[in-house]
């Protein structure tokens, strides 16, 4: 009986010592056989520090600090940096006015279009749909008021208006300034214009080799008539 009690006592001791103190947070160093690099002299953000006159460990940026970023080349041969927030290519507004920029300030190349398609597919398709007509998948989950990009209201907007909708959002649509770069946003504008054109183009704009030939047309209507006759 004595051994049984001692046995139980040892079991209790073992369980408590192994499981009982788990989850406690300690700032003390863990037992280390070889000192590793977990601890080092450093200041935590916002920790008080008497070294500086303002008593803070995190110091504000030195006046005149220029943010590091890459220049964006524009169609007119000049460059713009993302921190130039007043610049038309960044704000989407004509300098010193509240009028939107009329045309995409970046050079519209096939590369920009491809980028626009990629980014549109990632960020806009769920709501606006692959063709831009507002038939994205969210429609089946209760969001039905998504505007069609082919809406005459949107078609007649300037490029800067669309850029600003992407940047700042509109109504229930959120802005994409923090997930899409300035170039991405202009690229999407270019792609949105291409989507619009796909429904606004005239026959003259389609290369001749894709025109439906008269004989084909006649054949097709003959087949259609035949079909109706039966
Ligand atoms: C979560 C769904 C959603 C996503 C994602 C979304 N939109 Fe929208 N968008 C909307 C809705 C809803 C409206 C209608 C807003 C309103 O008028 O209240 C709208 C409106 C617009 C308009 C018309 C604004 C106007 O002037 O009436 C444009 C242009 C547009 N979106 C472009 C885009 C582009 C480009 C993207 C991708 C970067 C995008 N949207 C992503 C939901 C979305």
């Amino acid at each position: 009986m004595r051994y049984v009690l001692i046995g139980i006592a040892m079991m209790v001791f073992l369980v408590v010592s192994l499981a009982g103190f788990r989850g406690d947070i300690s700032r003390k160093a863990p037992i280390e056989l070889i000192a590793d690099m977990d601890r080092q002299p450093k200041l935590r953000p916002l920790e008080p520090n008497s070294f500086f006159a303002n008593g803070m460990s995190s110091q504000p940026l030195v006046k005149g600090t220029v943010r590091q970023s890459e220049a964006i080349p524009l169609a007119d041969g000049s460059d713009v940096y993302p921190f130039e927030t007043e610049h038309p290519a960044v704000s989407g507004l004509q300098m010193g006015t509240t009028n939107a920029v009329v045309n995409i300030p970046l050079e519209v190349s096939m590369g920009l279009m491809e980028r626009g398609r990629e980014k549109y597919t990632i960020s806009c398709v769920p709501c606006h749909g692959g063709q831009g007509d507002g038939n994205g998948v969210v429609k089946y989950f209760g969001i039905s008021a998504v505007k069609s990009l082919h809406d005459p209201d949107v078609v007649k907007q300037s490029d800067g208006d669309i850029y600003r909708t992407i940047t700042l959002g509109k109504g229930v649509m959120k802005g994409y300034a923090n997930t899409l770069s300035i170039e991405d946003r202009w690229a999407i504008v270019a792609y949105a214009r291409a989507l619009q054109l796909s429904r606004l183009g005239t026959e003259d704009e389609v290369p001749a080799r894709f025109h439906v030939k008269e004989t084909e047309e006649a054949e097709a209507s003959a087949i259609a008539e035949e079909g109706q006759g039966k």
Side-chain angles (χ1 to χ4, degrees):
M1 190 61 197
R2 207 152 134 227
Y3 294 116
V4 174
L5 285 177
I6 292 172
I8 290 172
M10 278 172 74
M11 288 294 284
V12 169
F13 177 76
L14 209 73
V15 168
V16 170
S17 60
L18 283 180
F21 303 109
R22 288 182 67 183
D24 278 359
I25 293 169
S26 167
R27 284 239 180 257
K28 284 196 204 122
I31 298 159
E32 283 166 286
L33 298 181
I34 301 166
D36 40 27
M37 293 168 71
D38 287 346
R39 277 149 285 96
Q40 44 189 279
K42 68 167 184 209
L43 296 167
R44 287 169 192 282
L46 305 181
E47 195 173 34
N49 177 15
S50 58
F51 182 79
F52 296 104
N54 61 7
M56 300 197 305
S57 56
S58 310
Q59 294 296 301
L61 295 178
V62 177
K63 198 161 183 285
T65 303
V66 177
R67 266 184 272 175
Q68 202 185 9
S69 49
E70 271 185 40
I72 303 164
L74 301 181
D76 63 8
S78 66
D79 279 344
V80 64
Y81 284 90
F83 56 79
E84 293 177 69
T85 49
E86 301 282 300
H87 193 288
V90 179
S91 67
L93 293 178
Q94 293 172 35
M95 200 63 111
T97 70
T98 50
N99 301 331
V101 167
V102 180
N103 293 315
I104 298 171
L106 275 62
E107 194 181 326
V108 180
S109 59
M110 201 56 204
L112 193 81
M113 272 298 176
E114 293 283 356
R115 183 174 186 164
R117 177 166 60 184
E118 187 193 350
K119 298 295 174 178
Y120 177 89
T121 308
I122 295 167
S123 298
C124 321
V125 160
C127 293
H128 289 281
Q131 298 183 22
D133 46 15
N135 282 327
V137 69
V138 298
K139 205 170 153 180
Y140 305 104
F141 296 92
I143 304 177
S144 55
V146 179
K147 198 145 178 166
S148 165
L149 302 183
H150 303 285
D151 190 304
D153 275 359
V154 182
V155 172
K156 71 171 186 238
Q157 287 180 0
S158 56
D159 292 346
D161 285 321
I162 297 178
Y163 172 83
R164 284 178 64 79
T165 298
I166 303 173
T167 306
L168 305 167
K170 193 148 213 174
V172 292
M173 178 185 145
K174 74 166 183 121
Y176 285 82
N178 50 9
T179 45
L180 292 168
S181 72
I182 291 163
E183 280 160 297
D184 289 342
R185 281 174 259 153
W186 286 117
I188 291 175
V189 174
Y191 186 64
R193 287 301 189 211
L195 285 178
Q196 290 174 343
L197 252 170
S198 73
R199 296 198 181 175
L200 296 171
T202 60
E203 202 175 350
D204 303 344
E205 288 166 341
V206 178
R209 66 181 192 280
F210 296 120
H211 286 188
V212 179
K213 293 189 190 70
E214 265 171 42
T215 49
E216 282 176 25
E217 235 170 73
E219 231 171 77
S221 62
I223 292 168
E225 268 168 36
E226 211 173 282
Q228 275 167 3
K230 270 178 195 165

